[in-house]
Amino acid sequence: MVDALRVIQDDGSTDPRLDPKLPEADAVRMYRGMMLQRILDNRMLALQRQGRIGFYGPSLGQEAAIIGAAMAMSPDDWIVPQYREPGAALVRGMPLTELLCQLMGNARDPVHGRQMPCHYVYRKGNYLSISSPVGTQLPHAVGIGWAMKLRGDRAAALVFFGDGATSTSDFHAAMNFAGVFRTPTVFLCNNNQWAISVPVARQTASATLAEKAQAYGFDGVRVDGMDALAVYGATREAAEAARSGRGPTLVEALTYRLGPHSSSDDPSRYRDEAEVARWRARDPIARFRRYLEQAGWWDEAREARLEQEIGDEITRAVQETERIPPPPVESLFTDVYADVPARLREQQDALTASLRR
Ligand SMILES: Cc1ncc(C[n+]2csc(CCOP(=O)(O)OP(=O)(O)O)c2C)c(N)n1
Ligand SMILES: [Mg+2]
């Protein structure tokens, strides 16, 4: 069905020429990352419907592309996210409660409730804050890579973006600069077939998105994005090329956005349920589970234990996060100016006085 690089077959067996031969612990960690992302999505969508968080953007169907790519990167590399990759932040070691604090915009939210929900940042894990306008993260990632190259760091920057972002001028600027200056950039395009209600056929007249790399003078590769090992292998190769001075690569991961664009969207208004069902049959998590089972690393009991463990972990984190109060009102005035200007100080004093009354 998909003319793209593929490692895990439908029955869970792998192509021996392409299998990255992950040790059991890494393979299980990859599965856990995907399961955590999926269970978290379901729980957060439910919390949003209950009015306990304001907004959520799920990754349903894209777990393999997100976790596979994130796990292919080294700790010194940077990850520049789009907005659908909390799973990648968790791979980087972001504590679940910190992620939930961002979603709730409370006093322990690293960005003090000033970002939109789902705009995670995890500085300790080299995970850049999200910028909302589509495609703007692409030049940021190329800039990070360019800085690394100038400093002589042996590291790469991975940037996530969608099929819709390939229509932006920032995509061109980033790809062109990366090609000319051979920056250590891994462009990971999650082609999930839709940009909210606009299908990918309306974004481009090219047969693939991967082939766009050719025009910028570097390699593009198309992988089955429902196959975590295919994404992992292609991203790892691209990251190694980047770190060793061979410049950027574009990886197009063919996926499908199985869920709504966000908690504010109803996709049944613009797309055919039969198309969704066709892609649902290729579920990346079910396929990876078959691979684990074939390797003799998984069974019903381990599955049940994992689900229980992740469910409990999320429950505990939600309970803890919901007890944290909102950011103090005075924080409105912090973090912007090193020396607060007089007129702002006046407003701050007026606010403090009025709060005291
Ligand atoms: C410049 C800009 N235009 C429009 C929007 C509204 N918007 C948010 S996400 C999105 C679609 C992006 O689609 P894609 O790049 O395919 O990513 P996906 O959501 O499918 O992961 C749009 C149009 C925006 N955030 N920024
Ligand atoms: Mg898309």
Side-chain angles (χ1 to χ4, degrees):
M1 178 176 171
V2 173
D3 56 331
L5 192 86
R6 187 170 172 182
V7 178
I8 311 177
Q9 307 306 314
D10 287 335
D11 67 357
S13 63
T14 58
D15 181 334
R17 292 162 308 157
L18 297 172
D19 190 335
K21 307 233 164 25
L22 285 185
E24 176 179 352
D26 288 349
V28 169
R29 197 161 80 86
M30 199 175 266
Y31 187 65
R32 192 186 197 285
M34 291 196 280
M35 286 287 281
L36 174 58
Q37 173 70 80
R38 177 154 308 176
I39 296 172
L40 183 69
D41 276 0
N42 290 332
R43 296 281 287 274
M44 293 304 110
L45 285 171
L47 282 198
Q48 195 278 336
R49 291 299 188 250
Q50 294 163 10
R52 289 156 73 186
I53 57 172
F55 176 86
Y56 193 74
S59 324
L60 194 69
Q62 297 177 220
E63 296 89 348
I66 294 163
I67 305 299
M71 279 191 61
M73 305 308 287
S74 302
D76 285 344
D77 297 329
W78 275 80
I79 294 183
V80 182
Q82 178 200 0
Y83 39 73
R84 248 180 243 297
E85 300 87 16
L90 296 168
V91 164
R92 278 293 162 118
M94 185 172 190
L96 194 51
T97 43
E98 192 172 324
L99 193 127
L100 292 174
C101 286
Q102 200 286 323
L103 276 172
M104 294 185 194
N106 63 24
R108 266 175 36 205
D109 169 8
V111 284
H112 305 165
R114 292 168 190 178
Q115 265 274 35
M116 264 184 75
C118 295
H119 287 47
Y120 318 99
V121 54
Y122 185 53
R123 178 65 186 82
K124 272 191 247 166
N126 288 358
Y127 185 95
L128 200 74
S129 183
I130 289 160
S131 58
S132 251
V134 169
T136 47
Q137 75 276 26
L138 288 153
H140 298 165
V142 172
I144 290 171
W146 180 225
M148 285 169 168
K149 189 170 172 167
L150 291 177
R151 294 203 317 207
D153 298 348
R154 215 190 124 80
L158 163 72
V159 57
F160 286 102
F161 57 104
D163 42 296
T166 63
S167 297
T168 65
S169 49
D170 276 338
F171 172 75
H172 164 70
M175 294 281 286
N176 193 56
F177 194 100
V180 172
F181 291 90
R182 314 297 300 164
T183 62
T185 315
V186 182
F187 292 93
L188 198 295
C189 180
N190 241 315
N191 178 2
N192 65 6
Q193 317 296 319
W194 291 91
I196 311 185
S197 57
V198 179
V200 67
R202 288 300 215 174
Q203 300 291 353
T204 186
S206 301
T208 71
L209 297 175
E211 72 195 51
K212 289 175 187 268
Q214 245 180 54
Y216 297 99
F218 56 91
D219 286 343
V221 51
R222 193 178 223 213
V223 303
D224 181 347
M226 311 300 249
D227 176 343
L229 292 187
V231 178
Y232 172 83
T235 309
R236 198 178 59 171
E237 208 171 291
E240 277 164 13
R243 288 186 215 107
S244 58
R246 280 176 282 137
T249 306
L250 169 62
V251 179
E252 175 188 3
L254 272 181
T255 59
Y256 194 82
R257 198 197 74 218
L258 287 171
H261 172 73
S262 72
S263 52
S264 311
D265 176 43
D266 173 8
S268 70
R269 295 178 57 163
Y270 55 79
R271 70 183 185 185
D272 181 10
E273 190 46 47
E275 174 185 290
V276 185
R278 272 199 307 280
W279 281 89
R280 198 176 288 120
R282 308 170 35 120
D283 188 319
I285 294 187
R287 200 192 307 175
F288 201 84
R289 182 179 167 177
R290 287 194 290 276
Y291 151 73
L292 288 181
E293 283 167 352
Q294 279 244 354
W297 296 334
W298 210 248
D299 56 26
E300 283 295 336
R302 291 191 75 168
E303 178 79 8
R305 247 195 333 269
L306 180 69
E307 273 181 32
Q308 176 82 38
E309 189 188 295
I310 292 175
D312 291 349
E313 193 185 325
I314 297 173
T315 301
R316 277 195 306 274
V318 169
Q319 284 169 350
E320 184 185 336
T321 312
E322 285 190 321
R323 282 198 294 267
I324 301 168
V329 178
E330 300 77 28
S331 71
L332 272 172
F333 297 92
T334 59
D335 301 329
V336 178
Y337 292 98
D339 300 308
V340 180
R343 89 197 130 71
L344 265 189
R345 209 168 315 117
E346 256 170 52
Q347 291 178 26
Q348 191 174 2
D349 292 345
L351 178 71
T352 311
S354 113
L355 286 174
R356 221 177 278 129
R357 276 200 301 279

